[in-house]
Amino acid sequence: FFFQAEDGIRDPLWSRGLGDVYKRQIKKIADCTAEVLKLKKEIVTLNADIEAYFKEISAWMDNEKVRANAKLKMSTYQEQIDKLQAQLNLSKGQVDDVCAEGGDEAKCAELQKLISESDIAIGDATTKMEDEKKIYMAQQAILLSLLHI
């Protein structure tokens, strides 16, 4: 195959061969792996932050400022969880696409495992937040009932 330039000089079209396709797949898998590892680290860090924060303030929930701050923190943590869940879902789609293109099966299996571990970790963060919200609401109800006595 040749391309015809305006001046009539032809340049040959060089075949990139299968090696370039394989190299692109390796790069895509490496990029996906790096992204999923970064997400997993962020999720694990968020889980630890949630647990540490609520453990730290649990004894002080009768303080109005602490309760107000806790409510704000819960909202912030929930936003972070939602953002990470959306990013994880996007990464899942990218991993599925890369692996469907015929990527290295072992690396694809490793990526799928990372996705699964990250899914579990985000589920743990969601559960912790739901549990903390229940505790917060129960403490609010107790404090309100005490104020009416």
Side-chain angles (χ1 to χ4, degrees):
F1 292 89
F2 290 93
F3 285 112
Q4 184 77 32
E6 286 182 27
D7 60 3
I9 299 172
R10 294 181 176 192
D11 291 325
L13 176 64
W14 300 102
S15 168
R16 293 177 9 176
L18 291 177
D20 287 342
V21 172
Y22 181 70
K23 288 175 192 172
R24 279 195 310 274
Q25 287 174 341
I26 290 173
K27 182 175 179 354
K28 285 180 183 177
I29 289 174
D31 291 347
C32 284
T33 301
E35 179 64 25
V36 173
L37 284 171
K38 179 180 161 236
L39 279 172
K40 184 179 176 188
K41 182 179 178 184
E42 287 180 39
I43 293 166
V44 168
T45 300
L46 180 61
N47 265 334
D49 289 351
I50 291 169
E51 193 168 324
Y53 176 74
F54 286 105
K55 187 180 278 187
E56 178 185 324
I57 68 160
S58 63
W60 303 98
M61 284 302 278
D62 58 340
N63 181 300
E64 190 174 327
K65 286 182 181 178
V66 171
R67 284 195 317 276
N69 187 44
K71 190 173 183 178
L72 182 63
K73 271 287 207 190
M74 282 190 280
S75 176
T76 302
Y77 283 141
Q78 191 60 56
E79 287 173 11
Q80 289 176 304
I81 289 169
D82 294 344
K83 178 183 159 207
L84 288 170
Q85 182 68 63
Q87 289 175 331
L88 184 60
N89 289 339
L90 183 63
S91 291
K92 283 182 200 176
Q94 290 171 340
V95 167
D96 290 344
D97 290 347
V98 167
C99 291
E101 290 176 2
D104 182 325
E105 287 184 27
K107 292 198 183 290
C108 284
E110 184 180 316
L111 260 172
Q112 295 293 352
K113 183 180 177 200
L114 278 173
I115 290 282
S116 178
E117 291 169 354
S118 299
D119 247 349
I120 290 168
I122 203 80
D124 289 347
T126 301
T127 300
K128 282 179 191 166
M129 280 306 302
E130 289 170 358
D131 290 348
E132 291 302 333
K133 284 178 188 175
K134 288 176 189 172
I135 292 168
Y136 175 83
M137 296 305 283
Q139 288 174 333
Q140 283 286 93
I142 291 169
L143 289 171
L144 286 175
S145 68
L146 290 174
L147 290 174
H148 292 289
I149 293 178

